[in-house]
Amino acid sequence: MNFEQLKPEVSYIIAKKNFSTDQRLLSICELLEQHIDYYNWVGFYFRNGDKEELKLGPYVGEPTDHTIIPFGKGICGQVAVSNKNFVVPDVNAQDNYIACSITVKAEIVIPIFVNGENIGQIDIDSNTPDPFTEEDERFLEFVCKKVSEMIS
């Protein structure tokens, strides 16, 4: 499936009111990981209450020890501060990268906004060097917009 084919699937998952927020987020993770071959780890991080840190939400992929990430640390922590998309074509070239797995070669993180506030993000790791394009960014912005509508 390409991104345009996945959009209605994402909308369908979001619309499932009989499922909890976490169930719907996990379903989105599963959908993306199954249908985009270079999405090897897909997960959500959300602001942990009033703390200056992110807490891991639903995800699919290898287990991670990074369940809490302080603002500013790693790619996710930097996005929590900058409020901007962050595409990393080569994680080994990043000074402030938190390694989750030696197989990860690239990462993309897109923030989720509710009422103009950055409340979390989608984080995707790839075992493929430099796989992410502007199309990935636009598609993941769509996903984050749908998630924000579900949460708000």
Side-chain angles (χ1 to χ4, degrees):
M1 270 193 216
N2 66 31
F3 294 134
E4 288 308 309
Q5 293 168 315
L6 286 170
K7 283 181 177 180
E9 298 290 324
V10 170
S11 296
Y12 175 74
I13 291 167
I14 295 292
K16 289 182 166 183
K17 304 280 190 233
N18 55 328
F19 286 84
S20 73
T21 298
D22 278 358
Q23 287 172 317
R24 290 184 274 175
L25 291 172
L26 181 59
S27 293
I28 290 170
C29 293
E30 291 168 341
L31 177 76
L32 300 187
E33 192 268 339
Q34 287 168 8
H35 292 286
I36 304 171
D37 20 335
Y38 55 94
Y39 285 17
N40 303 114
W41 191 97
V42 180
F44 290 94
Y45 282 93
F46 292 97
R47 185 179 186 126
N48 192 8
D50 290 336
K51 298 177 184 171
E52 296 283 302
E53 64 185 24
L54 297 165
K55 184 176 182 180
L56 180 62
Y59 73 94
V60 294
E62 292 289 318
T64 179
D65 292 335
H66 306 290
T67 56
I68 300 290
I69 298 176
F71 282 16
K73 188 158 172 56
I75 307 307
C76 291
Q78 290 177 73
V79 169
V81 173
S82 74
N83 299 321
K84 292 182 169 55
N85 298 352
F86 201 151
V87 180
V88 181
D90 177 6
V91 295
N92 293 321
Q94 281 296 314
D95 293 339
N96 191 5
Y97 174 69
I98 302 172
C100 292
S101 166
I102 57 166
T103 61
V104 175
K105 303 285 187 252
E107 183 174 12
I108 185 169
V109 179
I110 308 293
I112 301 167
F113 296 97
V114 172
N115 300 321
E117 183 185 350
N118 182 346
I119 56 108
Q121 53 203 228
I122 190 168
D123 176 20
I124 298 173
D125 291 342
S126 180
N127 299 338
T128 304
D130 196 11
F132 303 115
T133 66
E134 195 173 312
E135 284 183 355
D136 291 276
E137 278 192 81
R138 300 298 82 83
F139 171 68
L140 294 171
E141 286 168 352
F142 166 85
V143 171
C144 289
K145 185 174 185 305
K146 289 295 181 187
V147 167
S148 76
E149 291 167 5
M150 176 182 72
I151 292 172
S152 60

